[in-house]
């Protein structure tokens, strides 16, 4: 069974940085598209970033230039490095995985089928 476990959330001041981690089952990086979503109170879940099996990345416009998605295959871990954080980045961040058709491994894509439990990020002004 595919398992995803996030860590690294917490409070941070605006302009600061935070790195989220997501530990995933072995070998997922070879067949699965991995991504990060976020959901703020009262808002719909939105895709933030994605990384394909070949390392290709995709970001939603709101975070381009500020967030970086990466993975460490040796550690079976997915990361989201978040810089220049804004209060509007406050949300629960959720890692996800899915076997996506080629060119469909995008932030917020339809093909994610496995989800972590979420990690809260709170950015204060």
């Amino acid at each position: 069974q595919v398992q995803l476990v996030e860590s690294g959330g917490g409070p941070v001041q605006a302009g600061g940085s935070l790195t989220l981690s997501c530990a995933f089952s072995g070998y997922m990086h070879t067949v699965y598209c991995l991504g990060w979503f976020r959901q703020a109170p009262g808002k719909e879940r939105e895709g933030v970033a994605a990384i394909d099996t070949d390392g290709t990345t995709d970001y939603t416009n709101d975070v381009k230039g500020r967030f970086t998605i990466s993975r460490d295959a040796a550690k079976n871990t997915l990361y989201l490095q978040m810089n220049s954080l804004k209060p509007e980045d406050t949300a629960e961040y959720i890692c996800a995985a899915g076997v996506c058709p080629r060119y469909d491994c995008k932030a917020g894509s339809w093909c994610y089928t496995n989800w972590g439990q979420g990690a809260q990020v709170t950015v204060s002004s």
Side-chain angles (χ1 to χ4, degrees):
Q1 184 176 356
V2 173
Q3 290 188 329
L4 302 162
V5 180
E6 299 95 337
S7 61
V12 62
Q13 289 192 333
S17 299
L18 202 62
T19 300
L20 299 178
S21 301
C22 175
F24 54 81
S25 304
Y27 305 111
M28 285 183 59
H29 64 282
T30 62
V31 296
Y32 278 81
C33 169
L34 300 172
W36 288 95
F37 286 72
R38 66 185 179 186
Q39 187 165 20
K43 294 187 177 181
E44 292 186 356
R45 182 177 292 186
E46 65 170 340
V48 175
I51 184 165
D52 207 344
T53 55
D54 64 357
T56 302
T57 58
D58 182 63
Y59 300 90
T60 188
N61 287 337
D62 285 350
V63 307
K64 281 182 180 177
R66 299 190 297 124
F67 291 11
T68 302
I69 188 172
S70 63
R71 64 170 187 256
D72 185 329
K75 296 181 179 179
N76 288 345
T77 303
L78 175 71
Y79 300 99
L80 185 67
Q81 172 68 43
M82 304 182 290
N83 298 325
S84 301
L85 282 161
K86 306 174 182 179
E88 50 264 44
D89 293 318
T90 294
E92 183 179 56
Y93 284 73
I94 306 152
C95 64
V99 180
C100 299
R102 191 174 182 181
Y103 304 124
D104 278 5
C105 183
K106 304 291 185 184
S109 184
W110 58 271
C111 50
Y112 295 95
T113 55
N114 301 278
W115 303 87
Q117 84 285 358
Q120 180 66 37
V121 173
T122 303
V123 185
S124 59
S125 57

